Amino acid sequence: PNTDVHIAIPGFLAELKPMRRTYDRMSRGFALAMGYSRTKIESLPKAFRRSVFPLFAVGGVVGGAFYCAAEGLLPEEKHTIQLFKDSCESVVAISNLTKVRVSIFRGGYSNHSAPQGTGSGFVWDNYGHIVTNHHVVQNASEVRVKLNNGEQVHVEIVGVDQPCDIAVLRVPDEKTRKFLRPLKKGDSEEVLVGQKVYAIGYPFGLDQTLTSGIVSGTGRSLPAKPRVFDIIQMDAAINPGSSGGPLLDSSGRLIGVNQAIITNSRAFSGVGYAIPVNIVKRVVDHLIKYGRVVRPGMGVTLAPDYVLSQLGTEGALVIDVIPGRGAYKAGVNPTFTEETRTGPRTRLGDVIVAINGRPIRKQTDVFQELAKHDCGDTVVARLAKIQRDGQRVDERNVKIRLEEFGRK
């Protein structure tokens, strides 16, 4: 082990410092693999260049491989491995079970639980709450969770929110709760395009799977989810069974809940979506506290965005106003049809063009602005009338007191 090793390289390579350093690195790796502690590089005479170079080319590759093995994993690889080790205990597999009747001997029947879907979830807090997607547990008569240690437990559904596709479950057994580790929570407003992200889940019924990628876009919206905004788009692989699993940043903090993919074959095709954690926080807190999400509303029904786009303008057109609610009391005008000499004619209602000074260009902007407030708050809405040519007229500001959305 204390013997000096004389490694010779072609002289013309020894004269090139970058190549010499590369050969020195590979030579040391070869020496380490052979049990030697020191190496010394000597130059070959020029006469032996062509005959000896191929031997050192092969030996250098082998020595480099030994060197890499001796040196260990790259720092980035070590970081990813440690992130998975720290987070995997918080991720669970979820089975959606339904009751089925099975015929038994002599014409009798027996009720059994049969799986009708699977997904992923993660531990939210120290009180046994588990978060997943609503569609993972939809229409379930029973929900079963598989923990990281392989233990399977039955859980109860605390509450679900279909508009945001979030569900909260709870482990009833106090002894099991002691072994649950919640994930650290981040801030989705700090998510930037290009940053690295990691997704953990149970795709296709497999065991825990880690995929990584980058944030491809922020501020996305899905037509089917108008109340979910600022959706995170990423290219980390999301497949059936991964829904409800966590999306993590490089520090292992939760920044989103994996929700959907865009594909024609149910397999991942490079575009995945996650619900931002800031929305998840609000929804989960309401579900745990009230069993439902209490959303503030103005008491209006809004028209689809294409109605105003056909007129070449932007905003949120009011179709109907609920009597007795905030908008009604503030004098907001709905859309209505009146009879004229030439037949029925539609009179467009007020168009919301701003709330608290923030421009409103589409229906989603209204939901996003109201989500910042609680029931009982008052907002200032700027209203306008839209003419047939798309021009705004009669703009005015009104104060509207927010009340619970959907309350009868």
Side-chain angles (χ1 to χ4, degrees):
N2 295 321
T3 305
D4 288 338
V5 181
H6 296 261
I7 304 294
I9 67 172
F12 75 98
L13 289 179
E15 295 173 2
L16 301 176
K17 291 184 179 180
M19 296 299 293
R20 179 166 183 158
R21 286 196 297 268
T22 301
Y23 265 74
D24 180 39
R25 184 181 178 91
M26 293 188 293
S27 301
R28 286 189 288 112
F30 181 75
L32 287 171
M34 298 298 295
Y36 295 100
S37 60
R38 296 188 302 276
T39 62
K40 185 182 295 183
I41 300 178
E42 295 181 350
S43 299
L44 256 178
K46 294 183 179 180
F48 294 95
R49 291 176 186 172
R50 295 182 180 178
S51 60
V52 179
F53 174 73
L55 297 177
F56 281 98
V58 175
V61 172
V62 176
F66 280 120
Y67 178 77
C68 291
E71 288 289 305
L73 300 170
L74 295 174
E76 184 178 358
E77 294 175 317
K78 292 180 180 179
H79 172 267
T80 302
I81 292 171
Q82 190 60 47
L83 182 145
F84 178 73
K85 288 181 178 179
D86 294 340
S87 306
C88 66
E89 294 183 8
S90 304
V91 185
V92 302
I94 298 176
S95 297
N96 181 329
L97 306 177
T98 184
K99 295 292 184 182
V100 295
R101 295 185 68 190
V102 180
S103 60
I104 57 177
F105 184 65
R106 292 183 179 180
Y109 291 91
S110 177
N111 291 326
H112 291 271
S113 296
Q116 62 177 352
T118 59
S120 305
F122 55 91
V123 181
W124 181 259
D125 56 27
N126 293 316
Y127 301 100
H129 292 111
I130 293 174
V131 173
T132 185
N133 286 144
H134 165 256
H135 73 261
V136 172
V137 298
Q138 189 173 10
N139 300 324
S141 57
E142 185 180 347
V143 179
R144 186 168 57 208
V145 166
K146 179 183 177 182
L147 305 180
N148 177 255
N149 59 6
E151 180 184 359
Q152 297 196 22
V153 296
H154 291 277
V155 296
E156 56 190 21
I157 299 178
V158 176
V160 300
D161 183 59
Q162 185 174 0
C164 286
D165 198 18
I166 293 293
V168 177
L169 316 175
R170 190 174 75 93
V171 178
D173 184 31
E174 293 186 4
K175 293 182 179 179
T176 304
R177 294 181 199 170
K178 296 179 181 179
F179 300 98
L180 300 180
R181 287 185 52 192
L183 288 171
K184 297 178 293 184
K185 301 170 185 65
D187 184 356
S188 52
E189 290 188 0
E190 298 179 356
V191 174
L192 301 174
V193 174
Q195 77 173 71
K196 198 156 189 177
V197 289
Y198 303 84
I200 305 178
Y202 291 78
F204 301 114
L206 300 173
D207 206 346
Q208 273 191 354
T209 301
L210 171 70
T211 59
S212 64
I214 63 170
V215 175
S216 307
T218 57
R220 299 290 193 254
S221 60
L222 297 177
K225 301 292 180 185
R227 289 191 173 273
V228 183
F229 31 84
D230 290 339
I231 291 178
I232 301 170
Q233 178 187 329
M234 75 288 190
D235 66 358
I238 303 296
N239 288 294
S242 299
S243 295
L247 183 70
L248 310 174
D249 63 10
S250 297
S251 298
R253 297 173 300 186
L254 177 72
I255 58 173
V257 178
N258 302 322
Q259 180 197 30
I261 58 175
I262 291 182
T263 178
N264 295 323
S265 62
R266 296 191 72 241
F268 180 71
S269 58
V271 180
Y273 294 105
I275 306 169
V277 69
N278 288 6
I279 290 180
V280 177
K281 290 176 183 177
R282 184 181 182 90
V283 171
V284 170
D285 289 346
H286 279 225
L287 291 177
I288 293 175
K289 188 174 181 179
Y290 308 112
R292 57 189 175 85
V293 177
V294 179
R295 289 188 172 86
M298 297 185 292
V300 298
T301 302
L302 302 177
D305 293 330
Y306 69 81
V307 175
L308 288 183
S309 65
Q310 291 177 346
L311 297 176
T313 188
E314 298 176 333
L317 173 63
V318 176
I319 291 293
D320 192 18
V321 177
I322 302 176
R325 303 293 294 274
Y328 181 86
K329 296 176 182 178
V332 178
N333 298 311
T335 299
F336 64 94
T337 302
E338 64 178 356
E339 292 292 336
T340 65
R341 293 181 180 180
T342 58
R345 183 175 182 178
T346 300
R347 298 285 187 182
L348 296 180
D350 289 328
V351 174
I352 304 173
V353 296
I355 295 179
N356 289 343
R358 185 201 172 193
I360 300 298
R361 295 182 174 86
K362 55 184 181 299
Q363 190 181 106
T364 306
D365 294 338
V366 176
F367 300 145
Q368 187 170 359
E369 187 62 31
L370 296 185
K372 302 175 183 178
H373 299 274
D374 296 317
C375 295
D377 292 349
T378 298
V379 297
V380 177
R382 186 163 185 79
L383 308 178
K385 290 290 186 180
I386 301 297
Q387 296 181 334
R388 292 294 175 179
D389 59 359
Q391 295 297 317
R392 296 179 183 176
V393 295
D394 301 333
E395 293 193 23
R396 69 189 193 280
N397 292 331
V398 297
K399 293 182 178 181
I400 302 176
R401 188 175 185 274
L402 303 180
E403 300 179 40
E404 182 180 348
F405 174 81
R407 181 183 63 83
K408 297 181 180 180

